[in-house]
């Protein structure tokens, strides 16, 4: 219940994933290199920025850059408040 993630699937084995806010601020950057492991083709983003702080609700731009080209995704996320009374 406290774990939030987004899974980006069908990624190339070697790529760079950058996540930005709509105003262009860098939220997080991943350098993916799965050349040693052929089974992995995804990335689990824990919905936190580079400092480990949870992101706010809103629109985010995900930029995937690889040798095959680039892909830009738009993602909208709504973060629900943590309800600690249910435990």
């Amino acid at each position: 219940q406290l774990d939030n993630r987004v899974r980006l699937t069908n990624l190339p084995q070697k790529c760079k994933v950058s996540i930005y806010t709509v105003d262009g601020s860098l939220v997080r950057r991943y350098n993916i290199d799965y050349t040693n492991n052929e089974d992995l083709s995804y990335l689990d983003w824990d919905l936190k920025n580079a400092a480990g702080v949870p992101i706010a609700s809103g629109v985010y731009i995900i930029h995937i850059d690889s040798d095959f080209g680039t892909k830009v995704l738009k993602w909208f996320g709504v973060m629900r408040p943590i309800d600690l009374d249910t435990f």
Side-chain angles (χ1 to χ4, degrees):
Q1 293 178 346
L2 296 176
D3 189 29
N4 297 322
R5 340 178 159 233
V6 170
R7 179 170 280 187
L8 304 171
T9 59
N10 297 327
L11 292 175
Q13 288 185 342
K14 192 171 184 181
C15 64
K16 182 168 59 171
V17 178
S18 302
I19 303 167
Y20 298 95
T21 59
V22 175
D23 65 353
S25 300
L26 180 66
V27 175
R28 189 116 183 226
R29 178 170 287 149
Y30 292 96
N31 290 318
I32 307 293
D33 189 4
Y34 292 144
T35 53
N36 295 334
N37 191 349
E38 297 176 4
D39 297 336
L40 293 177
S41 65
Y42 63 87
L43 168 68
D44 282 335
W45 177 33
D46 59 358
L47 300 179
K48 295 180 181 177
N49 63 11
V53 178
I55 62 168
S57 299
V59 179
Y60 291 86
I61 308 297
I62 301 171
H63 185 267
I64 303 167
D65 188 19
S66 71
D67 294 337
F68 303 110
T70 61
K71 179 75 175 173
V72 177
L73 305 171
K74 295 159 210 79
W75 179 77
F76 179 78
V78 177
M79 303 299 290
R80 59 184 158 180
I82 297 174
D83 184 16
L84 298 176
D85 294 332
T86 59
F87 293 102

